[in-house]
Structures are given as structure tokens and as C-alpha cells.
Amino acid sequence: RRQLMQWIAQREDLWIQPKVDGVAVTLVYQHGKLVSAVSRGNGLQGEDWTEKVRLIPGIPHLLTDASSSLVLQGELFLKMTDHRQRTRGGVNARSVVAGEMRRHQPSPVLSQIGLFVWEWPDGPKTMPERLEKLKEMGFAMTADYTHAIGSFADAEKWRHDWYHGPLPFV
């Protein structure tokens, strides 16, 4: 705890997000079109989930930002209604998503999967710009759950809120 307090105290422009329980995916857009969705896999090689990801309603196929290349990293998660981590725990949500992404034939579960973007490697330099751009592209959840912090107490407050309060994910 003390090390984390010191680490936070030595930094500026810190932001916090909840750890969304799901499976990691990297989306690649070329000239605004979704061309690739790949799992993290074993760290060396991932699984190509492009066709399945195109069937997930909340993930845009086309972006108005027509930059030559855009890479987003995030978490595919099982959508929940008012999930409370403290009382309900993980409810096997990660396994449900992983299983659906590995199925040979898509099922209705795909409509219950969302995406939380947690990284945009070549995105805007400042977090407010990055969050605004993500919102414009259709990834508003990231902005809703990314907050500036200036102290360990701020981090504790968000952790407490996310652990005890209702969330749309595990």
C-alpha cells in the first residue's frame, strides 16, 4: 500500500479504469473499416475473431475517422445489468465470452457481448482528447469509466465504488 501511495504521489496526469473481466482483443481499422479482430492468444499468436466481432452489435464496422490505420485494444465482456462485484463475484462471465468466441457457429450470446477499450496506442496524446474521440467513434463506455486521479484516496474511492456499486460488466 505504501509503495502504491508513493508511486501515485510521484506522478501527474494519472487515470484509473476498472478491471473489466473478459477476453482481450485487438481491433484494427483501415481507412475507417474494421479489418481485423484478434485475441491476445498465447502472447505470441492470437485467434482471428474478425467475423465473430462483426456480429457484435456494439462494435462499429465503420468509423467516421478515416485515418489510414487505427488500432484499439480492449476487453470483450458479457453485458450485465446492475452487477455488483462484492455480492455476485465473477459469475463465470469471462468463460462465457471466451466460449462464445471459440464456437464454430455464432449464437445469441454474441448480442450480449460488449467492448471496453482500454488502450489506443497511437491515439491522441492527452486522455481528455482520447476519451472524446473514442466517444465520437462509438466507444462511449471507455469515457464513462475512465477517471483522473490525483491521490491514493482517489484510487481507493473508485475501487470502492466499482466493487460495491452497480456495473454493466463483471
Side-chain angles (χ1 to χ4, degrees):
R1 180 181 168 129
R2 188 177 342 169
Q3 286 178 323
L4 183 55
M5 290 173 81
Q6 289 173 338
W7 186 88
I8 291 172
Q10 295 169 355
R11 283 159 177 76
E12 294 179 14
D13 196 32
L14 285 178
W15 296 76
I16 191 169
Q17 296 175 324
K19 167 58 178 96
V20 177
D21 191 23
V23 293
V25 67
T26 298
L27 303 180
V28 178
Y29 290 85
Q30 295 288 331
H31 302 289
K33 182 180 179 191
L34 177 65
V35 296
S36 174
V38 178
S39 75
R40 184 179 354 216
N42 62 10
L44 300 173
Q45 183 175 358
E47 296 176 50
D48 183 351
W49 290 343
T50 309
E51 293 310 311
K52 287 261 180 77
V53 166
R54 285 187 177 131
L55 299 174
I56 297 173
I59 299 178
H61 298 188
L62 294 170
L63 301 176
T64 54
D65 179 329
S67 62
S68 60
S69 180
L70 179 99
V71 176
L72 299 173
Q73 296 169 322
E75 204 78 9
L76 293 173
F77 67 90
L78 188 63
K79 293 179 187 177
M80 306 294 282
T81 301
D82 296 334
H83 177 77
R84 293 178 190 267
Q85 190 69 26
R86 181 176 186 272
T87 56
R88 296 202 49 220
V91 299
N92 215 22
R94 183 192 184 290
S95 296
V96 171
V97 174
E100 183 60 26
M101 298 313 290
R102 289 188 180 103
R103 285 175 57 99
H104 293 293
Q105 296 297 317
S107 82
V109 173
L110 281 176
S111 67
Q112 300 169 16
I113 294 176
L115 173 71
F116 185 90
V117 176
W118 39 256
E119 180 59 281
W120 182 1
D122 296 323
K125 297 294 180 218
T126 71
M127 188 60 77
E129 286 177 279
R130 187 175 287 224
L131 295 174
E132 187 57 36
K133 237 2 208 162
L134 285 168
K135 239 195 296 195
E136 289 171 13
M137 291 188 292
F139 304 103
M141 179 176 275
T142 300
D144 294 341
Y145 290 93
T146 302
H147 305 284
I149 62 169
S151 67
F152 181 78
D154 292 343
E156 279 188 313
K157 176 226 176 283
W158 284 113
R159 188 216 177 262
H160 179 273
D161 289 356
W162 291 327
Y163 187 68
H164 294 277
L167 294 171
F169 47 74
V170 174

